[in-house]
Amino acid sequence: MKSKNIKALQHLLSTPKNVVIIPHKNPDGDAMGSSLGWMHFLNKNNHTASVIVPNPYPYFLKWIPGDETVICFETNENKALERLEEADVICTLDFNSLERIELLGEHVDNHTATKIMIDHHRDPQDYADLQFSEPEIGSTCELVYQIIESLSALEQIDNAIATSLYVGMLTDSGSFRFPSVTPKTHRIVAHLIECGANPAAIYNQIYNTSNVNRLQLLGQALNNLKVLPEYHAAFMTLSQEELRKFNFQKGDTEGFVNYALTIEGVKLAVIMIEDKSEQYVKLSLRSSGNFSVNEMAKKHFQGGGHINAAGGKNDGTIDDTVQKFITLLPQYQKSLQSS
Ligand code: 5GP
Ligand code: MN
């Protein structure tokens, strides 16, 4: 972390500020955990911080300490804009391009507040006055911890901060098994547990709150699975009709794509999910080894992310998207072979 940035942050936070914290659209565990963890830390330091989410998030994240204070732009636009109006600092967490917060992005772009980016994705856009962009760090939660450490404020980490930050370290690391996990990750997690985070309880809240519909939706996705051994690739699809059949709730498809990656020899796995508008298809891409799904998503699917986990979209139907994906594979055959 650049000490110049830490100094600037220290200076900025030396007087009480009105802070709005914004995670990316369709917030996941890392987005919510880092936003709420950072909010608790700022509030503890005499600032007035709140979290505004672009749109709703899944039920399995609706328990993180401070959840009841979160304002949703999509469902409560007036309140969100009122709150944004008062801000003199805006922190954007777990994303690095204002397109990721869609309509809210314009309000942030036109705002006079000091903007701070805290993120770990590749290829940051240039919109922040202060940029903490660390693609080598496994989660934004881990980055927030390291920022608190650089501010010499680790002793302030209480149960609420520890629990919030543990969430994203757990979810963005695939339960501490992705290559981004380091000895430091485990040392930080150990400290968060000492500060009150309860690993078993947090794991249960996130991963053991499923239901029959969700498992049957997974069954449908697995039924739709296609493997292309010559390209070391596999993909699944889910149409709106299928999602409706199993009473789809936000977050239900989280993690489905990983099943395709467990097949021996598969190095590239994709799930394609038709959007409610039926105008476009959302893609989640995963890879193992050094094949970069970030580049594939950026180049062909208006998206991005990390080397081994990225997302994007394709205008058109599921069939169009499947066709596009299959047509792309030959140009990647060599790098998939050697990755
Ligand atoms: P997921 O597939 O779980 O939605 O996302 C995987 C990773 O890619 C996450 O780090 C997420 O933030 C990023 N990501 C997902 N969708 C998009 C997108 O449309 N654009 C960009 N730039 N990143 C995305
Ligand atoms: Mn993240």
Side-chain angles (χ1 to χ4, degrees):
M1 211 157 328
K2 288 191 196 123
S3 63
K4 194 177 103 223
N5 272 2
I6 290 293
K7 284 219 177 80
L9 183 64
Q10 228 150 12
H11 179 72
L12 186 70
L13 297 180
S14 61
T15 53
K17 291 289 185 309
N18 206 316
V19 186
V20 161
I21 299 165
I22 304 176
H24 59 77
K25 195 184 167 199
N26 298 324
D28 57 8
D30 192 31
M32 290 315 296
S34 59
S35 294
L36 287 167
W38 186 233
M39 177 189 89
H40 293 306
F41 175 75
L42 292 174
N43 283 336
K44 224 175 156 161
N45 284 276
N46 298 320
H47 305 289
T48 306
S50 15
V51 174
I52 299 178
V53 292
N55 70 335
Y57 46 97
Y59 58 90
F60 55 80
L61 299 174
K62 287 198 173 146
W63 59 271
I64 304 173
D67 179 73
E68 68 288 350
T69 67
V70 173
I71 303 165
C72 179
F73 174 72
E74 193 178 284
T75 58
N76 204 347
E77 187 172 327
N78 288 341
K79 189 167 174 201
L81 290 181
E82 252 170 52
R83 183 65 193 86
L84 197 60
E85 195 64 38
E86 304 161 356
D88 35 39
V89 176
I90 297 175
C91 300
T92 63
L93 268 76
D94 200 36
F95 68 96
N96 62 17
S97 130
L98 291 180
E99 285 159 26
R100 297 266 352 251
I101 54 172
E102 296 188 350
L103 294 176
L104 193 49
E106 271 179 43
H107 296 282
V108 172
D109 207 19
N110 297 328
H111 209 293
T112 54
T114 305
K115 290 157 208 164
I116 305 177
M117 176 200 296
I118 301 180
D119 180 60
H120 71 134
H121 293 87
R122 283 175 191 269
D123 313 314
Q125 303 285 300
D126 186 21
Y127 64 83
D129 301 292
L130 203 48
Q131 183 173 307
F132 294 89
S133 169
E134 303 285 341
E136 300 307 319
I137 296 183
S139 62
T140 301
C141 283
E142 184 170 336
L143 174 55
V144 167
Y145 180 98
Q146 292 197 25
I147 292 173
I148 295 175
E149 186 176 26
S150 302
L151 293 170
S152 307
L154 283 185
E155 76 287 350
Q156 293 186 27
I157 296 186
D158 56 16
N159 192 308
I161 299 173
T163 301
S164 307
L165 296 184
Y166 187 97
V167 170
M169 293 188 68
L170 173 75
T171 57
D172 259 28
S173 66
S175 306
F176 308 112
R177 73 195 154 89
F178 290 162
S180 57
V181 173
T182 63
K184 186 160 185 171
T185 310
H186 282 285
R187 283 193 197 101
I188 292 173
V189 160
H191 184 225
L192 295 180
I193 296 170
E194 284 165 355
C195 295
N198 180 336
I202 295 172
Y203 188 95
N204 277 332
Q205 291 271 20
I206 293 173
Y207 294 115
N208 292 337
T209 48
S210 192
N211 55 62
V212 174
N213 269 324
R214 179 176 188 250
L215 292 187
Q216 290 182 340
L217 182 64
L218 171 61
Q220 180 70 62
L222 295 176
N223 253 323
N224 296 347
L225 174 71
K226 299 268 183 322
V227 183
L228 303 152
E230 66 275 34
Y231 298 112
H232 301 276
F235 67 90
M236 304 175 197
T237 56
L238 281 173
S239 66
Q240 270 302 314
E241 198 183 334
E242 290 165 332
L243 293 170
R244 280 194 295 267
K245 186 169 159 199
F246 297 105
N247 189 27
F248 168 77
Q249 306 293 313
K250 205 172 230 343
D252 277 353
T253 57
E254 200 82 19
F256 283 12
V257 63
N258 296 316
Y259 286 92
L261 209 55
T262 64
I263 301 168
E264 194 173 12
V266 168
K267 299 175 186 174
L268 167 64
V270 179
I271 187 164
M272 306 170 192
I273 302 173
E274 189 178 21
D275 183 69
K276 211 154 70 188
S277 66
E278 302 189 12
Q279 300 295 304
Y280 69 92
V281 174
K282 185 87 185 111
L283 292 92
S284 277
L285 302 93
R286 299 291 184 271
S287 65
S288 58
N290 50 25
F291 184 81
S292 172
V293 283
N294 170 51
E295 285 187 10
M296 193 179 205
K298 213 166 60 175
K299 199 158 167 201
H300 304 287
F301 298 111
Q302 310 163 48
H306 313 281
I307 290 181
N308 295 130
K313 64 178 192 169
N314 184 51
D315 298 322
T317 65
I318 293 228
D319 285 347
D320 298 338
T321 312
V322 167
Q323 268 322 309
K324 178 167 175 178
F325 177 67
I326 291 177
T327 310
L328 285 175
L329 287 174
Q331 60 179 284
Y332 290 106
Q333 190 166 21
K334 269 212 180 105
S335 46
L336 280 164
Q337 196 93 44
S338 61
S339 70

